[in-house]
Amino acid sequence: MKVLVIGSGGREHALAWKLARAERVQAVYVAPGNGGTAADPTLRNVPLTDPQALAEFARTEKIALTVVGPEAPLAAGVVDTFRAMGLRIFGPTRAAAQLESSKAFAKAFMQRHRIPTAAWAEFTDVAAAHAYVDAQGAPIVIKADGLAAGKGVVVAMTLAEAHAAIDHMLADNHLGVVHADGVARVVIEEFMAGEEASFIVLSDGVHVQALATSQDHKRIFDGDTGPNTGGMGAYSPAPVVTPNVHARVMQDIIQPTLQGMAREGMPFTGFLYAGLMIDAQGQPRTVEFNARLGDPEAEVILMRLKSDLFEVLMHATDATLDKVELQWDRRVALGVVMAAHGYPATPRKGDVISGLPAATDALRVFHAGTVADGERTLTSGGRVLCVTALGESVRLAQQRALDGVRQIHFDGAQWRSDIGHKAIKH
Ligand code: AMP
Ligand code: GLY
């Protein structure tokens, strides 16, 4: 069987690596892939990104299963394109992917289905947005509606920050966020206190299987300080998701979401990612939905998955996920992202990467922003590598990952040395 993975990040390297180990899989293509997937003899890069071109490739090459990594092709309707051609693909349709691609859609959906989340209001009018913030007070959260690659959220601790964020997103639209109807829009939310966790499930539209829990670290610097990024590291499992919290998340958030989407005529098939805020009483609320695996959550989750991913995803595309029982490595997986000089604002490209350690059962380097240049591997994006390790404890997994990081060199490399700190007992 041949498999196609769409995307070019660390998540897609991890998906491709795992699928290449599946019993029935003979070839794994990655479109467009990166320097790591290029260097792996079990994977093949394909220089395609257009949905129609990808579907034609899948048909010509008789690809048995396509898996979509990132949100952009989902929001562009790649799943609809494949299905219209009778091709098997795992991911949500464009309509279902609105749970991620439109924050306004997601918030209205959660309200319709009584799914716990922060109170919110939506604005296109600048003056009305300013007046609302004055009435609500700080802290308060301002979000640009539309895909802004994690950069469209400001958690404003003061009113001045909130007003500045509104001007930035609404008055000037500096983010250049493209909206379906061409109008810039912000969602203004109640600030939620608590600890975050990533809760990702597989859904075939009817049945659901929860993946192992995880937690990522969005800020660039140690101690969760500095600007937000796509994620500087992650670990799995997340101890904040106790069995009790897990049950509440399934009952109060995941099940009503999947049932609601089905009832509204857009059954959700694919990876559904609920970003959670869990308060001191263990009550989970939804911060956001993503219509895909997280990155770097995927790297740590897939490092722990013992089941054959191809067979699982075949069930997921046959609506027989109820026949699956996922098996997990009991060890902790922890991934440390090595980011480029200048990330997140102005990542530099073209630095030479050296010292990449050979993979072992317990240490594996997933590539993200890298490109092959003859024998060399160069940086080509903000998040460059995710050095992922398994260990008997969070601390041991962290030490092993950092040992890997210290062997690797590229100019200007940035990484955090405290990934997993919330789960390490001092
Ligand atoms: P989002 O892109 O919606 O996931 O937001 C990015 C980050 O902003 C989240 O991971 C949280 O750390 C923070 N955040 C978003 N919404 C809220 C909220 N209502 N209350 C507190 N923090 C939030
Ligand atoms: N790591 C967060 C995300 O993938 O959205």
Side-chain angles (χ1 to χ4, degrees):
M1 298 278 200
K2 294 181 183 175
V3 176
L4 171 63
V5 175
I6 298 177
S8 63
R11 165 183 50 212
E12 289 76 28
H13 191 185
L15 280 167
W17 161 73
K18 191 72 196 160
L19 286 163
R21 265 129 205 93
E23 202 163 314
R24 288 201 287 156
V25 171
Q26 267 105 39
V28 178
Y29 297 89
V30 191
N34 58 38
T37 54
D40 186 331
T42 67
L43 310 175
R44 268 174 260 181
N45 283 359
V46 186
L48 298 174
T49 51
D50 171 66
Q52 193 63 39
L54 286 163
E56 267 147 32
F57 173 83
R59 181 162 64 186
T60 314
E61 289 294 325
K62 301 195 165 52
I63 300 290
L65 170 71
T66 298
V67 186
V68 190
E71 62 268 43
L74 295 169
V78 72
V79 170
D80 310 68
T81 303
F82 271 62
R83 287 198 187 148
M85 287 170 65
L87 297 163
R88 186 190 290 255
I89 186 165
F90 187 59
T93 60
R94 186 213 293 259
Q98 286 182 94
L99 275 181
E100 172 167 11
S101 63
S102 169
K103 288 193 188 290
F105 172 88
K107 293 301 278 191
F109 175 86
M110 284 190 267
Q111 189 176 49
R112 280 199 293 284
H113 297 280
R114 295 175 204 284
I115 293 160
T117 189
W120 104 108
E122 190 192 313
F123 298 92
T124 50
D125 182 73
V126 186
H130 284 302
Y132 181 78
V133 159
D134 280 330
Q136 297 294 312
I140 195 157
V141 181
I142 319 290
K143 302 186 176 188
D145 189 35
L147 295 174
K151 292 176 194 132
V153 177
V154 172
V155 180
M157 299 315 287
T158 65
L159 280 178
E161 283 175 75
H163 288 304
I166 291 167
D167 286 336
H168 186 71
M169 291 179 195
L170 212 48
D172 318 331
N173 195 14
H174 283 294
L175 295 172
V177 175
V178 182
H179 304 272
D181 51 7
V183 181
R185 188 183 296 133
V186 293
V187 171
I188 302 184
E189 271 186 26
E190 167 195 4
F191 172 79
M192 295 187 283
E195 185 170 345
E196 285 182 78
S198 304
F199 198 100
I200 307 175
V201 303
L202 287 162
S203 174
D204 61 15
V206 182
H207 313 101
V208 59
Q209 288 282 348
L211 299 180
T213 59
S214 59
Q215 195 174 73
D216 81 341
H217 295 60
K218 290 207 172 70
R219 304 298 192 101
I220 182 108
F221 300 131
D222 277 9
D224 297 316
T225 57
N228 258 316
T229 71
M232 290 298 290
Y235 67 103
S236 171
V240 65
V241 186
T242 60
N244 182 28
V245 171
H246 198 286
R248 285 191 198 177
V249 174
M250 289 303 289
Q251 186 186 308
D252 298 346
I253 296 173
I254 300 297
Q255 297 288 7
T257 299
L258 296 174
Q259 284 160 11
M261 291 298 282
R263 235 180 291 139
E264 294 191 16
M266 37 190 159
F268 190 96
T269 52
F271 295 102
L272 177 66
Y273 168 151
L276 306 176
M277 187 69 79
I278 299 155
D279 72 12
Q281 285 72 47
Q283 284 291 352
R285 288 202 277 173
T286 312
V287 177
E288 60 160 354
F289 285 118
N290 293 315
R292 53 174 173 82
L293 275 170
D295 191 349
E297 289 94 331
E299 289 90 315
V300 292
I301 290 171
L302 293 170
M303 211 45 190
R304 291 187 59 217
L305 180 66
K306 297 216 286 199
S307 311
D308 184 316
L309 182 61
F310 178 75
E311 302 305 332
V312 171
L313 296 182
M314 291 302 276
H315 279 290
T317 44
D318 277 334
T320 53
L321 263 183
D322 54 325
K323 304 282 188 291
V324 167
E325 202 181 316
L326 297 175
Q327 305 285 339
W328 301 99
D329 195 311
R330 295 168 68 133
R331 288 174 292 178
V332 172
L334 188 143
V336 176
V337 168
M338 295 180 77
H341 177 271
Y343 181 72
T346 51
R348 186 170 72 197
K349 298 181 181 181
D351 289 304
V352 179
I353 304 168
S354 61
L356 287 165
T360 67
D361 157 65
L363 179 74
R364 189 162 291 281
V365 180
F366 296 112
H367 288 229
T370 72
V371 63
D373 174 45
E375 294 294 287
R376 303 188 306 175
T377 304
L378 307 179
T379 66
S380 70
R383 290 186 292 172
V384 176
L385 303 167
C386 183
V387 182
T388 311
L390 289 166
E392 298 300 330
S393 67
V394 179
R395 190 179 285 285
L396 289 172
Q398 187 196 65
Q399 277 169 6
R400 188 170 277 147
L402 289 172
D403 286 345
V405 166
R406 289 192 199 96
Q407 295 176 50
I408 301 169
H409 177 81
F410 55 90
D411 283 344
Q414 310 184 68
W415 70 85
R416 284 181 58 167
S417 55
D418 68 344
I419 300 301
H421 69 89
K422 285 185 194 137
I424 294 176
K425 310 275 178 296
H426 294 281

